[in-house]
Amino acid sequence: MTNENLNTALNNVKEAWKYPELFQNTSRSERILSGVVGSYLLFKGLTSIFSHPVIGATGAAVGAGLLYRGITGYCPARDLAEQQQDLDLESDDVVIKETIISTEL
C-alpha cells in the first residue's frame, strides 16, 4: 500500500466519522460485532504471522476489513450487493414477434 492509498483510506475514515449518516449501511449490532471480531482476528493474525505466515496474513487482512466495517459502519460488499439488487429490479423489455389466435374450443 502506498502513502497515497493510505492517506485516501484515512481521509475516508475521517469523513465517515464526520458524516456517519452518509456512509453507514450496517446496523449498530453489526458494527459492534464486526469491531470485536475484527480486533480479535487482527490481533491473532499479527501475533501468528511469523509462525504461520499465510494464515496470519489472511487473518490480519480479514480482521482489518471487519475492523474498518465496525469503525465506519460502511460495508463495501453490502453496498455492492444493494447496487446489484437495484439493477436486477429493472424490468426487461419483452418483444412479441408473432401472435397466434386459435379458434378451436
Side-chain angles (χ1 to χ4, degrees):
M1 181 181 281
T2 64
N3 284 337
E4 183 178 331
N5 292 341
L6 183 62
N7 289 335
T8 302
L10 290 175
N11 286 335
N12 289 344
V13 171
K14 288 178 188 176
E15 287 295 315
W17 276 106
K18 288 180 188 176
Y19 309 106
E21 66 277 356
L22 297 178
F23 292 95
Q24 288 181 357
N25 63 356
T26 58
S27 66
R28 180 180 165 97
S29 59
E30 284 179 295
R31 290 183 70 182
I32 292 170
L33 188 62
S34 293
V36 170
V37 173
S39 299
Y40 176 75
L41 286 176
L42 183 61
F43 172 74
K44 290 300 281 184
L46 290 176
T47 56
S48 68
I49 200 157
F50 293 112
S51 59
H52 304 286
V54 174
I55 295 171
T58 303
V62 171
L66 284 172
L67 189 59
Y68 173 80
R69 182 180 190 248
I71 290 173
T72 63
Y74 174 72
C75 180
R78 176 176 279 185
D79 191 26
L80 184 64
E82 288 173 355
Q83 289 176 5
Q84 190 68 23
Q85 186 179 26
D86 290 344
L87 291 175
D88 290 342
L89 292 177
E90 294 178 7
S91 63
D92 295 331
D93 293 336
V94 177
V95 178
I96 300 174
K97 294 184 176 182
E98 187 175 336
T99 305
I100 300 174
I101 300 174
S102 175
T103 57
E104 296 179 23
L105 293 175

